[in-house]
Amino acid sequence: CGCLGPRCCGRCRRAAYCGPEHQALDWRRGHRRSCGQHAAGDDSADAIPEDNEFLFPEYEILIEPEEPEFPADSPVDPDDEQGAIDTSKDQKEQEERGATDEAFQSLDEETLEAMAKRETEEDKIFQMFKEQVAAEPEQIIRYCRGGEGPLWVSGENRPEEKDIPNCLCGAKRIFEFQIMPQLLNHLQVDSLGESIDWGTLVVYTCADNCGGGKEYLEEFIWKQDYSVGS
């Protein structure tokens, strides 16, 4: 699973595991057939079979700086382009409002105003998220230590400063990187039902970078879904 494996199979002494749960899972999924079949010193015994259903597929991760939205040598005027986008959005919103007005006629004015205000704020946040993601649709990690904050998918369920505990060394934890929902597609777990799911996973790490990279340190992660009810 990628974690340290201090335990090993008591029979072949070759397969390493992080704990009894994954050892039992691997036994049921094929280790019972291969255990003890390899001779001592056979390096192939350590190889992970390609059809191992427990492991996620592996990929190479490329690290690239994010390009500015409007390069310095771009002949496009950001204000003009924004105006064109806003015009098309306004037209689309008017069409959508016209199609749904009848459905809301039975609701009182106060309820409608509250719903409209909330939907507008949430729509803006989610639209900003989608536009940013559209520039790099394959991006699985956004890294920005000590700079701007994470890219949220919703205005709900955001952590406050008091929600993020200090590091074990006493220093504050700050935003370092976030895991994007596109990773679910690459790991082939983006189906509905009992599959894992998230809007974004935001990781906060020690501001003093304690430990010096010589050991694993416990950090803090905040899971934000697309909505509270999801």
Side-chain angles (χ1 to χ4, degrees):
C1 64
C3 296
L4 295 177
R7 301 170 62 95
C8 66
C9 174
R11 180 180 176 187
C12 67
R13 313 296 297 180
R14 299 298 298 270
Y17 302 100
C18 64
E21 293 84 2
H22 287 181
Q23 182 176 1
L25 182 62
D26 189 44
W27 179 261
R28 294 194 301 270
R29 293 196 170 182
H31 185 65
R32 71 168 74 194
R33 296 188 298 272
S34 61
C35 183
Q37 294 181 1
H38 301 276
D42 184 2
D43 292 337
S44 63
D46 298 326
I48 299 175
E50 295 181 357
D51 60 347
N52 190 311
E53 298 179 358
F54 177 71
L55 298 179
F56 289 129
E58 294 186 1
Y59 298 91
E60 178 185 6
I61 299 179
L62 301 179
I63 302 175
E64 298 177 348
E66 190 172 53
E67 297 294 334
E69 185 176 359
F70 298 102
D73 57 350
S74 173
V76 179
D77 186 343
D79 294 333
D80 292 343
E81 184 167 333
Q82 184 63 39
I85 293 175
D86 289 342
T87 301
S88 63
K89 286 181 181 178
D90 291 342
Q91 183 178 358
K92 184 177 180 180
E93 289 175 357
Q94 289 175 3
E95 294 174 355
E96 292 176 349
R97 282 197 299 268
T100 57
D101 279 345
E102 295 182 1
F104 293 122
Q105 285 181 355
S106 60
L107 299 177
D108 61 86
E109 184 175 349
E110 184 177 348
T111 302
L112 286 173
E113 289 181 357
M115 291 174 61
K117 182 178 180 180
R118 180 182 180 280
E119 288 179 356
T120 300
E121 293 173 352
E122 284 297 300
D123 287 347
K124 287 182 179 179
I125 294 172
F126 187 58
Q127 184 64 29
M128 184 184 302
F129 178 83
K130 290 198 299 182
E131 290 176 357
Q132 192 75 36
V133 168
E136 295 290 344
E138 297 298 314
Q139 185 181 51
I140 60 172
I141 294 176
R142 289 179 59 85
Y143 179 91
C144 186
R145 181 174 173 83
E148 61 181 280
L151 186 62
W152 298 106
V153 301
S154 171
E156 301 176 342
N157 192 29
R158 294 189 186 185
E160 298 180 5
E161 187 174 354
K162 62 181 178 63
D163 296 322
I164 304 172
N166 290 341
C167 178
L168 297 178
C169 72
K172 285 188 176 182
R173 286 191 173 99
I174 60 174
F175 167 64
E176 180 165 346
F177 68 92
Q178 66 183 115
I179 303 174
M180 308 297 283
Q182 292 89 307
L183 181 60
L184 295 168
N185 180 53
H186 291 296
L187 297 181
Q188 302 172 14
V189 291
D190 59 341
S191 60
L192 299 177
E194 297 182 357
S195 176
I196 58 175
D197 189 28
W198 64 74
T200 186
L201 302 176
V202 184
V203 179
Y204 297 85
T205 62
C206 177
D208 291 345
N209 197 28
C210 67
K214 297 180 180 179
E215 58 182 334
Y216 287 113
L217 296 177
E218 181 179 302
E219 297 296 1
F220 182 76
I221 187 169
W222 186 273
K223 177 178 180 286
Q224 186 191 46
D225 295 315
Y226 285 103
S227 66
V228 173
S230 64

